[in-house]
Amino acid sequence: MTVPQGRRSSTFTRLLRHGFTDPSTAERLLGADELAAVRTDAVLLDALGATADPDLALLGLVRLAEAQPDPTARRELLDTLLSAKPLRDRLLGVLGASEALADHLARHPGDWRALVTYEAADLHPGVEEFERGLAGATDPVSLRVAYRRCLLSIAARDVCGTTDVAEAAAELADLATATLRAALAMAERAAPDDAASCRLAVIAMGKCGGHELNYVSDVDVIFVGEAVDGVEEGAALRAATRLAAHLMRICSETTVEGTIWPVDANLRPEGRNGPLVRTLSSHLAYYQRWAKTWEFQALLKARPVAGDTDLGKEYAAAVAPLVWGAAERENFVPDVQRMRRRVVENIPAGEVDRELKLGPGGLRDVEFAVQMLQLVHGRADASLRSGTTLDALAALAAGGYVGRVDATQLDDAYRFLRSLEHRIQLHRLRRTHLLPETDADLRRIGRSLGMRTEPLTDLARAWKRHTSVVRRLHEKLFYRPLLDAVAQLAPGESRLSTEAARERLVALGYADPVAALRHLEALASGVTRKAAIQRTLLPVLLGWFADSADPDAGLLGFRKVSDALGKTPWYLRLLRDEGAAAENLARVLSAGRLAPDLLLRAPEAVALLGDERGLEPRGRGILEQEVLAAVRRANGAEQAVAAARGVRRRELFRTTAADIISSYGTQESPEGEGVRAALGTRVVAGDGRADAGALVDRVGLAVSDLTAATLAGTLRAVVREGFGDDLPVRFAVIGMGRFGGRELGYGSDADVLFVHEPREGVDDQEAAKAAGAVVTEMRRLLQLPSADPPLLVDADLRPEGKSGPLARTLKSYAAYYRRWSLVWEAQALLRAEPVAGDADLGRAFIDLVDPLRYPVEGLGDDAVREIRRLKARMESERLPRGADPTLHTKLGRGGLSDVEWTVQLLQLQHGWAEPGLRTTRTRAALHAACAAGLLATEDAATLDEAWVLATRVRNAVMLVRGRAGDTFPSDGRELAAVGRYLGYDAGTVGVMLDDYRRITRRARAVVEERFYGA
């Protein structure tokens, strides 16, 4: 139709008003000869405008009319369309929602009559009705045609609102059941001898088993076979396997009519590596001995659907006790923790926000949570044993296992997400769980869900609202009922019994549920404002505690901190209002002993967790300034050093908290991202994971700077107390070992040398006596019993070791090194760096030892052999008896000693010629050696990886146990906590140990070549 420029026809305007987005094309289609009898009918136009996509519906109608075999058939279609409202709504509704079903109708133009009947049985068909609908199929092609005809009726009821999403999903599962039965019958007719020699049962799993199937989905099954009397079992199983394989091909293979859906048998024992068909006894033997928690979770939905009915019932009855006893299995808790920490890293970054099933706040989250609660409580409550998610959720609410309001919200969210999934798949009958990106697709979906005014805006708003509800489901389903159980603020409301609460806490990882309930009651009971805030916070905190290796310790620590700070006006307000503070506190309290011990000695330090920059490490200059100011205000040396140690305790907490949060990550910012901006340093690698090297460097710098500031303050306090402002010597502290390298860990001693120089006119003996007194008093004060962690000062690297004076003059050091120095002492001096005291004197000491540690022309052959001999002797003599050399971080194979001695040998040999090697820091020297061509890039990376890992393990052991250690803990919980710090999921400590051995084994190979010259 030609429309004059500047004018629109009345039909064009009416089409726009009825929701057509391409009225020009619609006007042309309405002008087709096939629609001549109805093109002006207002009822038809109104009906098209009521569909999800009027343009698509009109196109489908024209194609269907064109496909009719003759004018009589076309007239019948159009007359019925105008006169029968049920058909009109159903047919146009399908055509406006599904391009694929429109294609089916165009190929099979008589199938529209399947939508005409409107009897009561037609409204809610079951397996029997679908079996009648498939009865005429005699081969895979005709089966597909009949299947699509049945699918057409399901979709019609769905898009018209005759059935809700749960009913539509149940009908799809029933149609799948009827289809499996028809396919098995075809396979049996094709191989009657096989059918006669075995009993074969088909067990539906997954969504089909749960009676909640999608439009397009794999149909998960398990096959169970038995021999009939007189047939050998092996022969019967081979026959059953041929039948099962044929059934799968009938449903899965692509024909001229396409495919139905893939039949997936990978949930069977041993997955795709196991036999396709097993006997019932073989299934049970596997489940009793080898099955993992996820397999029992999958069996929760097992339902016999086809084949030998009695055998199917026997299978279901036999596996049920195993399913409902799964929560009592040894590895249930770590398996649940690992599955609850399911990550979306395998979803492409651009699809995460569109992923309906696996993304955050998606369908899988609801299904998993409901199934976990079923496994925990279903062993004692048979009412929970449903394979259907929404039925199970309703039963959990009815039994008080989930709050009714929370259950209603999750029910609504799940129904919305499933409806969205159905509409997306229905369009082209393709398996997808991604929300479309085009406005046209989103508009069609929004309209199909009843959003007619602003479908794009309303759909986006609903999607965001429902996924946000699901994102908080662990709080709602797992933890809030626990608080309701102990607080008991709503008499008459169904709630968890004490025993059910204990069962749930055990399943969530709490080893002492009785104590946990006691803590919850103390924190949340009552009608005070404090208790009300705690009831808001605790459901979230309990989830974060459960993500750790020791939830009990986290909850206990939280109670202690709350008891200490509960009356302060800012504490609960901080946790409630500052987004990261509560989660940061939960991570810190449940990560081990060191950080909570530091916090509980001064609970007010919790404020650091809510400050945007509270976790930022403070430099040595700022720390020293604060410590010296505290020393000046103190009365006496002991009070001054106590103040300095108090600063050290607070800063150690700051460092440990930042390390834990960076390593564990947070809900909003996993693995380090959350503190990257605040810390002002790169702690996240390119792949988004925490950068282990950056974390190690940050801890080493922070602890070393803090130790240096503490020594500076202690030195000032001792001098002021004993000598006023007239110390008769200049005095400097030289850091050695990891202290000098600024690589201190949480459990490291401070290795130092003390240097003094008499002031003008002071006798050498008097100066030595004063210096010795200063050193002795510093060490005493730093180790006084107090609530603060001691700082152990170790001067054993001094000349003559423990037999030599604690402090020497520069001349004395020079004389010793010139006459008596051994090669190991030159090696130790590679780490020498001034850390406190007289800066000029410190620099003079460095000038003195530089020629010794960076000898011109490097080391001679004798010196190299001596270093290698010392290293070999240390390996054989110093490793503790009974220690596993493959797991000892310091002296073990490929550990810290191996890497550091290799690097230091390169420094001794080449430091005189390569300025980059003149550093006290191991990683910097390693990188310099690589840059200078002294180490291959791959070798340098191997050594660096091993050194960083060993250092992190040592830090982890101190964080977890509260005391230093050079090997992995033997206690299971402590070992799991070390694993969590290193980024391993619950239940994977074996993987962690294997990784450590592999990484250090590779490093040792480099050491053998580069250090020993093998």
Side-chain angles (χ1 to χ4, degrees), residues 788-829:
D788 301 310
L791 174 56
L792 301 178
V793 177
D794 188 341
D796 288 352
L797 290 175
R798 65 188 184 271
E800 303 179 71
K802 294 181 179 179
S803 302
L806 283 169
R808 287 176 181 260
T809 64
L810 278 176
K811 289 182 181 179
S812 177
Y813 276 109
Y816 175 85
Y817 289 139
R818 183 172 57 252
R819 187 171 184 182
W820 305 109
S821 175
L822 300 174
V823 68
W824 72 264
E825 291 176 294
Q827 181 182 354
L829 288 169

Side-chain angles (χ1 to χ4, degrees), residues 74-147:
R74 185 177 304 119
R75 189 178 309 112
E76 179 189 359
L77 166 66
L78 297 177
D79 288 349
T80 310
L81 185 71
L82 292 180
S83 61
K85 186 177 188 304
L87 170 70
R88 185 167 61 247
D89 291 343
R90 288 179 169 197
L91 178 58
L92 295 182
V94 168
L95 293 174
S98 179
E99 188 177 301
L101 288 177
D103 290 342
H104 171 83
L105 285 170
R107 289 196 307 272
H108 304 280
D111 278 3
W112 66 269
R113 294 181 179 84
L115 303 179
V116 173
T117 54
Y118 203 69
E119 304 299 329
D122 177 58
L123 295 180
H124 300 289
V127 176
E128 291 183 7
E129 287 77 15
F130 288 126
E131 284 188 296
R132 285 198 294 271
L134 301 178
T138 57
D139 56 56
V141 173
S142 59
L143 180 62
R144 280 150 178 73
V145 175
Y147 175 85

Side-chain angles (χ1 to χ4, degrees), residues 672-949:
E673 190 74 38
V675 292
R676 171 165 60 176
L679 294 174
T681 184
R682 187 180 68 87
V683 296
V684 179
D687 61 358
R689 295 179 61 83
D691 183 337
L695 294 176
V696 164
D697 290 345
R698 193 183 68 211
V699 170
L701 286 170
V703 177
S704 300
D705 286 347
L706 179 55
T707 301
T710 306
L711 288 176
T714 303
L715 175 60
R716 178 68 60 85
V718 169
V719 170
R720 189 182 66 174
E721 177 85 357
F723 302 93
D725 293 327
D726 299 317
L727 182 65
V729 297
R730 295 161 61 207
F731 192 89
V733 183
I734 309 298
M736 299 288 286
R738 299 178 78 81
F739 185 19
R742 303 185 77 183
E743 298 165 350
L744 283 179
Y746 300 120
S748 303
D749 294 347
D751 290 318
V752 297
L753 297 177
F754 297 107
V755 188
H756 72 271
E757 278 293 297
R759 296 190 184 277
E760 188 174 346
V762 176
D763 178 73
D764 286 354
Q765 188 173 359
E766 179 186 354
K769 182 178 179 182
V774 168
V775 172
T776 301
E777 183 65 1
M778 285 180 66
R779 298 176 77 185
R780 182 187 74 83
L781 291 173
L782 288 169
Q783 296 180 56
L784 283 177
S786 80
D788 301 310
L791 174 56
L792 301 178
V793 177
D794 188 341
D796 288 352
L797 290 175
R798 65 188 184 271
E800 303 179 71
K802 294 181 179 179
S803 302
L806 283 169
R808 287 176 181 260
T809 64
L810 278 176
K811 289 182 181 179
S812 177
Y813 276 109
Y816 175 85
Y817 289 139
R818 183 172 57 252
R819 187 171 184 182
W820 305 109
S821 175
L822 300 174
V823 68
W824 72 264
E825 291 176 294
Q827 181 182 354
L829 288 169
L830 288 167
R831 311 274 252 161
E833 180 175 282
V835 293
D838 190 297
D840 291 336
L841 182 58
R843 282 192 292 271
F845 180 84
I846 296 302
D847 292 339
L848 169 68
V849 302
D850 269 352
L852 193 67
R853 57 183 181 174
Y854 308 126
V856 177
E857 302 299 332
L859 292 180
D861 291 343
D862 290 343
V864 172
R865 281 194 294 271
E866 176 64 12
I867 287 178
R868 289 170 175 166
R869 186 188 67 81
L870 289 172
K871 177 72 168 68
R873 179 181 172 187
M874 184 176 69
E875 291 176 9
S876 63
E877 295 180 1
R878 291 184 58 188
L879 191 70
R881 180 176 298 176
D884 184 345
T886 67
L887 294 176
H888 198 278
T889 60
K890 183 176 181 180
L891 301 174
R893 179 193 69 189
L896 297 172
S897 175
D898 269 0
V899 177
E900 289 169 2
W901 280 60
T902 302
V903 172
Q904 289 161 12
L905 181 58
L906 290 172
Q907 289 180 282
L908 289 166
Q909 290 176 310
H910 303 283
W912 66 277
E914 294 291 342
L917 290 173
R918 298 172 204 163
T919 175
T920 62
R921 307 185 65 181
T922 302
R923 297 188 74 210
L926 191 57
H927 297 158
C930 180
L934 302 173
L935 266 181
T937 301
E938 184 179 352
D939 289 348
T942 297
L943 294 177
D944 184 73
E945 182 182 23
W947 188 88
V948 167
L949 178 57

Side-chain angles (χ1 to χ4, degrees), residues 133-462:
L134 301 178
T138 57
D139 56 56
V141 173
S142 59
L143 180 62
R144 280 150 178 73
V145 175
Y147 175 85
R148 289 279 161 73
R149 189 181 305 120
C150 293
L151 191 65
L152 187 66
S153 66
I154 295 175
R157 287 187 294 275
D158 184 10
V159 298
C160 291
T162 307
T163 56
D164 64 18
V165 65
E167 291 170 328
E171 289 183 13
L172 289 165
D174 286 342
L175 176 56
T177 296
T179 305
L180 288 170
R181 292 178 181 178
L184 180 58
M186 288 183 189
E188 289 175 339
R189 285 196 299 271
D193 291 342
D194 285 346
S197 61
C198 67
R199 300 167 63 201
L200 177 64
V202 183
I203 312 297
M205 302 287 286
K207 281 187 163 54
C208 184
H211 225 220
E212 51 188 13
L213 198 60
N214 300 329
Y215 276 101
V216 186
S217 174
D218 290 358
V219 170
D220 296 309
V221 299
I222 286 176
F223 295 106
V224 188
E226 295 287 349
V228 298
D229 291 341
V231 178
E232 187 265 328
E233 183 179 282
L237 286 178
R238 288 191 292 274
T241 300
R242 289 190 291 271
L243 290 174
H246 193 186
L247 177 154
M248 295 173 70
R249 290 195 303 275
I250 289 170
C251 296
S252 305
E253 286 182 344
T254 301
T255 70
V256 292
E257 286 291 338
T259 184
I260 301 178
W261 19 246
V263 176
D264 189 341
N266 288 337
L267 290 177
R268 66 188 185 270
E270 301 181 74
R272 64 183 60 199
N273 296 320
L276 183 62
V277 182
R278 288 176 183 258
T279 63
L280 177 56
S281 61
S282 177
H283 276 94
L284 295 178
Y286 172 85
Y287 291 133
Q288 290 165 349
R289 185 171 185 184
W290 302 110
K292 296 181 173 59
T293 298
W294 71 263
E295 293 179 274
F296 293 111
Q297 181 184 356
L299 284 170
L300 188 152
K301 292 181 175 293
R303 180 171 65 94
V305 292
D308 191 295
T309 303
D310 291 337
L311 180 57
K313 290 179 179 179
E314 289 174 29
Y315 176 89
V319 300
L322 301 177
V323 172
W324 302 114
E328 300 172 353
R329 291 167 58 87
E330 180 180 356
N331 293 320
F332 181 75
V333 170
D335 286 347
V336 169
Q337 288 179 317
R338 183 165 59 253
M339 289 187 288
R340 281 191 60 245
R341 280 193 294 271
R342 176 192 54 79
V343 295
V344 294
E345 59 188 16
N346 292 327
I347 303 174
E351 297 180 357
V352 169
D353 293 336
R354 299 191 294 122
E355 173 63 58
L356 278 170
K357 182 177 180 180
L358 301 177
L363 292 163
R364 179 64 59 81
D365 281 348
V366 180
E367 293 160 358
F368 169 80
V370 169
Q371 290 161 19
M372 285 300 99
L373 289 180
Q374 287 180 275
L375 290 177
V376 171
H377 300 297
R379 52 182 167 170
D381 188 343
S383 70
L384 305 180
R385 299 177 184 178
S386 170
T388 306
T389 301
L390 290 176
D391 290 349
L393 182 58
L396 287 165
Y401 302 99
V402 175
R404 290 186 181 275
V405 173
D406 291 334
T408 299
Q409 290 181 340
L410 286 169
D411 183 283
D412 290 343
Y414 188 75
R415 287 175 184 272
F416 171 80
L417 293 172
R418 286 302 303 273
S419 297
L420 196 55
E421 182 182 44
H422 278 191
R423 295 299 188 268
I424 292 170
Q425 293 185 348
L426 183 58
H427 183 218
R428 291 192 172 92
L429 289 182
R430 292 178 183 171
R431 183 186 180 191
T432 179
H433 306 286
L434 286 178
L435 195 66
E437 294 182 286
T438 67
D439 286 352
D441 285 333
L442 294 173
R443 180 177 181 272
R444 183 190 66 256
I445 292 169
R447 284 173 58 89
S448 75
L449 295 174
M451 303 170 186
R452 296 303 173 96
T453 307
E454 295 287 344
L456 272 70
T457 303
D458 293 345
L459 179 63
R461 188 180 295 118

